[in-house]
Amino acid sequence: MFDLSGNSALITGASGGIGAAIARALHASGATVVLHGTRAERLAALAEELGERAHVVTANLSERAEAAGLVDAAAEVADAPISILVNNAGISPKSPSGSRLDTVNTTIEDWRHVYQVNVFAPIMLTQALVEPLTKGGGAVVNVTSIAGSRVHEFAGSAYATSKAALSALTREMASDFGKLGIRVNAIAPGEILTNILSPGSEEAILPQIPLGRFGTPDEVAETIYFLCSDKAKYMNGSEIHINGGQHV
């Protein structure tokens, strides 16, 4: 294991399957984890499971004021200055029937909502954390998606283009924040076994995956864990595909 003792990590969207797996991986390595989300009960249960060095903060990232206040709230509960930021939170709205929202039927309000959470919040948080991240030789990991590079069967247009924007943002951040000693990388998951996996995914998508199975939250978390460690200290501006070869 890579020792992350002495580090504090802010993980957005920690109440979901991938976010919780990230929290468990970083916490097991010795890091303090600040668990962000909007579902307080789930976060509290995860913090209780992890025990010491696990803290909860809630904020709605679709509200700019709440997103802006998240860093101060995290700093108040963390055991040490934040040196790791995992921008995992993301939203992908569906139609009332549960179908994907494409460029024909997505409202401008939905576009703004998605971009605030999936693109603007990550840069807002990184900017607000620039001082502690610089002092700690910090690491930032953005969670993009396979949908950011192709039209996806289930992911909507606003979600997909926001993830493409986050990929581009990762490159820009790696160039700018890298000069301050802050590494910025991304991971792009494909279909991962969580409760948000769309119905019909097995029939539609499994044949596209060379490894013949969906991924697990732990497999995503392990890659993020590596990117946050000193073993990845010369990685900056990378985007790692975690999809069993689906992207090829």
Side-chain angles (χ1 to χ4, degrees):
M1 293 182 66
F2 314 131
D3 186 11
L4 295 180
S5 298
N7 290 277
S8 288
L10 171 58
I11 305 159
T12 67
S15 59
I18 291 176
I22 296 166
R24 292 185 183 103
L26 298 186
H27 186 270
S29 72
T32 290
V33 291
V34 180
L35 312 170
H36 157 268
T38 56
R39 294 174 285 190
E41 289 185 3
R42 281 196 178 189
L43 294 171
L46 178 58
E48 184 177 359
E49 171 197 328
L50 297 177
E52 294 183 358
R53 296 182 287 103
H55 310 281
V56 171
V57 289
T58 58
N60 183 354
L61 296 183
S62 67
E63 300 293 335
R64 291 189 182 182
E66 291 195 38
L70 176 57
V71 166
D72 288 340
E76 288 180 6
V77 299
D79 299 338
I82 304 293
S83 54
I84 295 169
L85 170 62
V86 182
N87 288 308
N88 169 67
I91 56 172
S92 181
K94 306 290 185 185
S95 73
S97 66
S99 61
R100 74 184 295 269
L101 293 173
D102 62 19
T103 53
V104 175
N105 57 26
T106 304
T107 67
I108 194 63
E109 289 77 15
D110 279 334
W111 283 92
R112 288 171 175 156
H113 186 202
V114 169
Y115 268 71
Q116 170 57 35
V117 175
N118 295 4
V119 183
F120 302 149
I123 188 59
M124 290 174 67
L125 295 177
T126 310
Q127 288 176 335
L129 284 167
V130 65
E131 184 175 346
L133 286 171
T134 301
K135 289 181 179 178
V140 177
V141 181
N142 295 324
V143 178
T144 63
S145 171
I146 190 173
S149 59
R150 49 169 286 185
V151 176
H152 192 275
E153 290 82 351
F154 301 107
S157 297
Y159 175 84
T161 58
S162 74
K163 291 301 185 179
L166 187 58
S167 295
L169 181 61
T170 298
R171 296 192 297 271
E172 296 291 329
M173 292 168 69
S175 176
D176 298 332
F177 288 96
K179 297 176 178 67
L180 303 174
I182 302 168
R183 298 181 297 106
V184 184
N185 294 288
I187 58 105
E191 266 54 44
I192 306 299
L193 288 170
T194 68
N195 58 9
I196 64 170
L197 198 66
S198 297
S201 293
E202 187 168 347
E203 294 81 5
I205 295 177
L206 202 56
Q208 303 172 20
I209 303 175
L211 289 186
R213 66 176 179 86
F214 294 146
T216 69
D218 286 342
E219 288 170 324
V220 177
E222 286 163 4
T223 305
I224 291 176
Y225 170 34
F226 166 72
L227 289 173
C228 293
S229 76
D230 285 344
K231 296 298 182 181
K233 61 185 177 183
Y234 200 56
M235 292 186 69
N236 187 41
S238 300
E239 184 173 23
I240 301 176
H241 298 281
I242 309 174
N243 57 41
Q246 182 183 355
H247 69 294
V248 304

